[in-house]
Amino acid sequence: MSTKMSRFVAVAAASLAIGLGAAYAAQPDGQGGPGGWHHHGHFLQELNQLHSQLKLNPDQEKQWQTALDTMKQNREAGRAAHKQLHDQIKALQQQPILDLNALHDLHEKAEEQRHQAREQTAAAWLAFYNGLNDQQKTIVSTALKQ
């Protein structure tokens, strides 16, 4: 299994375990998120399939949409931040002497932004999950275990 695929599997398992994809938005790799576009489409298919099985009431549907929108927005913001970081690093590399303090600061800022995005997305999915009844939680649990 490739490192990229291993990372995808680890991220997917962890994210689904805390609420259906919380980490999905968090670590863009410039190729459409962990695993690239192929896995992006597969992930969304699985989410859509789960969504149809849950038979959500209007309040739950609103929480689902909020979580999904939060996840998508954080993913897009993460991709933009990744590109910006890449551009900033390239600019620093143009200097005759690398400023390791600046590189470290860029890295720390990027890590903080990714962490905030993960937490925001996880909070949205957990709010959705906490609004489900026991039967719906069983459906989610079964999907996560698979």
Side-chain angles (χ1 to χ4, degrees):
M1 183 178 297
S2 72
T3 302
K4 191 174 194 178
M5 183 56 97
S6 297
R7 183 174 58 119
F8 171 74
V9 171
V11 168
S15 63
L16 288 174
I18 62 169
L20 304 173
Y24 177 72
Q27 298 210 20
D29 64 358
Q31 301 295 318
W37 285 112
H38 172 75
H39 295 291
H40 169 70
H42 183 69
F43 180 80
L44 291 179
Q45 279 182 321
E46 288 178 359
L47 275 181
N48 287 334
Q49 183 179 7
L50 181 61
H51 178 255
S52 66
Q53 292 173 356
L54 291 173
K55 298 180 178 75
L56 303 174
N57 68 36
D59 288 336
Q60 292 169 329
E61 182 64 34
K62 185 176 178 181
Q63 287 180 313
W64 172 274
Q65 286 304 317
T66 297
L68 193 60
D69 290 345
T70 300
M71 181 181 75
K72 288 178 180 180
Q73 289 167 2
N74 283 335
R75 179 174 178 270
E76 289 305 313
R79 292 182 72 212
H82 179 77
K83 182 187 180 326
Q84 181 183 16
L85 176 64
H86 183 265
D87 292 345
Q88 289 171 327
I89 289 172
K90 279 180 79 172
L92 284 173
Q93 289 174 340
Q94 300 303 313
Q95 303 300 318
I97 298 173
L98 284 175
D99 183 348
L100 293 183
N101 290 307
L103 283 171
H104 176 73
D105 290 345
L106 288 175
H107 174 75
E108 289 298 309
K109 182 180 177 187
E111 285 298 316
E112 183 179 325
Q113 289 173 338
R114 282 191 289 269
H115 177 73
Q116 288 173 349
R118 280 190 301 268
E119 289 302 313
Q120 184 181 30
T121 302
W125 281 115
L126 289 170
F128 162 74
Y129 181 77
N130 291 333
L132 298 178
N133 63 38
D134 286 346
Q135 182 181 5
Q136 292 166 320
K137 286 181 180 180
T138 300
I139 292 169
V140 171
S141 295
T142 301
L144 294 176
K145 290 174 186 177
Q146 294 174 352

